[in-house]
Short mmCIF file of all heavy atoms in Angstrom, two decimals:
data_model
loop_
_atom_site.label_atom_id
_atom_site.label_comp_id
_atom_site.label_asym_id
_atom_site.label_seq_id
_atom_site.Cartn_x
_atom_site.Cartn_y
_atom_site.Cartn_z
N ALA A 13 9.01 19.29 -27.40
CA ALA A 13 9.36 17.87 -27.52
C ALA A 13 8.71 17.06 -26.39
O ALA A 13 8.29 15.92 -26.59
CB ALA A 13 10.88 17.70 -27.49
N HIS A 14 8.61 17.66 -25.20
CA HIS A 14 8.03 16.96 -24.04
C HIS A 14 6.50 16.99 -24.05
O HIS A 14 5.88 16.08 -23.51
CB HIS A 14 8.55 17.58 -22.74
CG HIS A 14 9.94 17.16 -22.41
ND1 HIS A 14 10.22 16.13 -21.53
CD2 HIS A 14 11.14 17.59 -22.85
CE1 HIS A 14 11.54 15.98 -21.44
NE2 HIS A 14 12.11 16.85 -22.23
N HIS A 15 5.92 18.06 -24.61
CA HIS A 15 4.45 18.23 -24.56
C HIS A 15 3.91 18.60 -25.93
O HIS A 15 3.39 19.72 -26.12
CB HIS A 15 4.08 19.33 -23.54
CG HIS A 15 4.64 19.09 -22.17
ND1 HIS A 15 4.04 18.25 -21.26
CD2 HIS A 15 5.77 19.56 -21.58
CE1 HIS A 15 4.77 18.23 -20.15
NE2 HIS A 15 5.83 19.00 -20.31
N PRO A 16 4.02 17.70 -26.91
CA PRO A 16 3.59 18.06 -28.28
C PRO A 16 2.12 18.47 -28.37
O PRO A 16 1.78 19.39 -29.11
CB PRO A 16 3.88 16.80 -29.09
CG PRO A 16 4.08 15.70 -28.10
CD PRO A 16 4.53 16.34 -26.83
N GLU A 17 1.24 17.81 -27.60
CA GLU A 17 -0.19 18.13 -27.69
C GLU A 17 -0.48 19.57 -27.28
O GLU A 17 -1.26 20.28 -27.93
CB GLU A 17 -1.01 17.16 -26.82
CG GLU A 17 -1.12 15.76 -27.41
CD GLU A 17 -1.59 15.77 -28.87
OE1 GLU A 17 -2.54 16.52 -29.16
OE2 GLU A 17 -1.01 15.05 -29.69
N ALA A 18 0.16 19.98 -26.16
CA ALA A 18 -0.05 21.36 -25.67
C ALA A 18 0.40 22.37 -26.72
O ALA A 18 -0.22 23.43 -26.89
CB ALA A 18 0.74 21.57 -24.38
N PHE A 19 1.46 22.05 -27.47
CA PHE A 19 1.97 22.97 -28.48
C PHE A 19 1.21 22.89 -29.80
O PHE A 19 1.35 23.75 -30.65
CB PHE A 19 3.48 22.74 -28.68
CG PHE A 19 4.29 23.41 -27.61
CD1 PHE A 19 4.37 22.87 -26.33
CD2 PHE A 19 4.94 24.61 -27.86
CE1 PHE A 19 5.09 23.50 -25.32
CE2 PHE A 19 5.66 25.25 -26.86
CZ PHE A 19 5.73 24.69 -25.58
N HIS A 20 0.41 21.83 -29.99
CA HIS A 20 -0.48 21.79 -31.15
C HIS A 20 -1.72 22.64 -30.88
O HIS A 20 -2.21 23.34 -31.76
CB HIS A 20 -0.91 20.34 -31.45
CG HIS A 20 0.19 19.52 -32.06
ND1 HIS A 20 0.93 19.97 -33.12
CD2 HIS A 20 0.67 18.29 -31.75
CE1 HIS A 20 1.83 19.05 -33.45
NE2 HIS A 20 1.70 18.03 -32.62
N GLU A 21 -2.21 22.61 -29.64
CA GLU A 21 -3.44 23.32 -29.29
C GLU A 21 -3.19 24.79 -28.96
O GLU A 21 -4.01 25.65 -29.29
CB GLU A 21 -4.12 22.63 -28.09
CG GLU A 21 -4.69 21.26 -28.41
CD GLU A 21 -5.67 21.30 -29.56
OE1 GLU A 21 -6.51 22.22 -29.59
OE2 GLU A 21 -5.58 20.43 -30.45
N GLY A 22 -2.07 25.06 -28.27
CA GLY A 22 -1.79 26.41 -27.74
C GLY A 22 -1.90 27.53 -28.75
O GLY A 22 -2.62 28.52 -28.51
N PRO A 23 -1.20 27.43 -29.90
CA PRO A 23 -1.22 28.56 -30.85
C PRO A 23 -2.62 28.94 -31.31
O PRO A 23 -2.87 30.11 -31.63
CB PRO A 23 -0.38 28.04 -32.03
CG PRO A 23 0.54 27.03 -31.42
CD PRO A 23 -0.27 26.38 -30.34
N ARG A 24 -3.55 28.00 -31.31
CA ARG A 24 -4.92 28.30 -31.76
C ARG A 24 -5.63 29.23 -30.78
O ARG A 24 -6.62 29.88 -31.15
CB ARG A 24 -5.72 27.01 -31.91
CG ARG A 24 -5.22 26.11 -33.03
CD ARG A 24 -6.15 24.94 -33.23
NE ARG A 24 -5.60 23.97 -34.16
CZ ARG A 24 -5.61 24.13 -35.48
NH1 ARG A 24 -6.14 25.21 -36.01
NH2 ARG A 24 -5.10 23.20 -36.27
N ARG A 25 -5.16 29.29 -29.53
CA ARG A 25 -5.79 30.15 -28.53
C ARG A 25 -5.15 31.54 -28.48
O ARG A 25 -5.64 32.43 -27.79
CB ARG A 25 -5.75 29.48 -27.14
CG ARG A 25 -6.55 28.18 -27.12
CD ARG A 25 -6.43 27.47 -25.79
NE ARG A 25 -7.13 28.17 -24.73
CZ ARG A 25 -7.05 27.84 -23.44
NH1 ARG A 25 -6.29 26.80 -23.09
NH2 ARG A 25 -7.72 28.51 -22.53
N LEU A 26 -4.02 31.70 -29.20
CA LEU A 26 -3.39 33.03 -29.24
C LEU A 26 -4.04 33.87 -30.34
O LEU A 26 -4.59 33.34 -31.30
CB LEU A 26 -1.89 32.89 -29.54
CG LEU A 26 -1.01 32.26 -28.47
CD1 LEU A 26 0.44 32.26 -28.93
CD2 LEU A 26 -1.13 33.01 -27.14
N ALA A 27 -3.96 35.21 -30.16
CA ALA A 27 -4.53 36.13 -31.16
C ALA A 27 -3.51 36.32 -32.27
O ALA A 27 -2.60 37.15 -32.16
CB ALA A 27 -4.87 37.45 -30.49
N THR A 28 -3.68 35.55 -33.36
CA THR A 28 -2.71 35.63 -34.47
C THR A 28 -2.63 37.03 -35.04
O THR A 28 -1.54 37.51 -35.39
CB THR A 28 -3.11 34.63 -35.58
OG1 THR A 28 -3.33 33.36 -34.99
CG2 THR A 28 -2.02 34.50 -36.63
N SER A 29 -3.81 37.71 -35.11
CA SER A 29 -3.80 39.06 -35.69
C SER A 29 -2.90 40.00 -34.88
O SER A 29 -2.18 40.82 -35.44
CB SER A 29 -5.22 39.61 -35.77
OG SER A 29 -5.85 39.48 -34.52
N ALA A 30 -2.94 39.87 -33.55
CA ALA A 30 -2.07 40.71 -32.71
C ALA A 30 -0.60 40.37 -32.97
O ALA A 30 0.26 41.27 -33.03
CB ALA A 30 -2.40 40.50 -31.22
N GLY A 31 -0.31 39.08 -33.16
CA GLY A 31 1.07 38.67 -33.47
C GLY A 31 1.53 39.23 -34.80
O GLY A 31 2.67 39.70 -34.92
N VAL A 32 0.62 39.22 -35.79
CA VAL A 32 0.98 39.74 -37.11
C VAL A 32 1.22 41.26 -37.02
O VAL A 32 2.23 41.76 -37.54
CB VAL A 32 -0.14 39.44 -38.14
CG1 VAL A 32 0.08 40.21 -39.44
CG2 VAL A 32 -0.21 37.94 -38.43
N VAL A 33 0.31 41.97 -36.34
CA VAL A 33 0.46 43.44 -36.22
C VAL A 33 1.79 43.76 -35.53
O VAL A 33 2.55 44.64 -35.97
CB VAL A 33 -0.72 44.06 -35.44
CG1 VAL A 33 -0.45 45.51 -35.08
CG2 VAL A 33 -2.01 43.95 -36.25
#
Side-chain angles (χ1 to χ4, degrees):
Chain A
H14 283 263
H15 305 278
E17 286 309 316
F19 280 76
H20 286 311
E21 291 304 316
R24 294 186 188 282
R25 297 177 70 188
L26 291 182
T28 310
S29 51
V32 169
V33 169

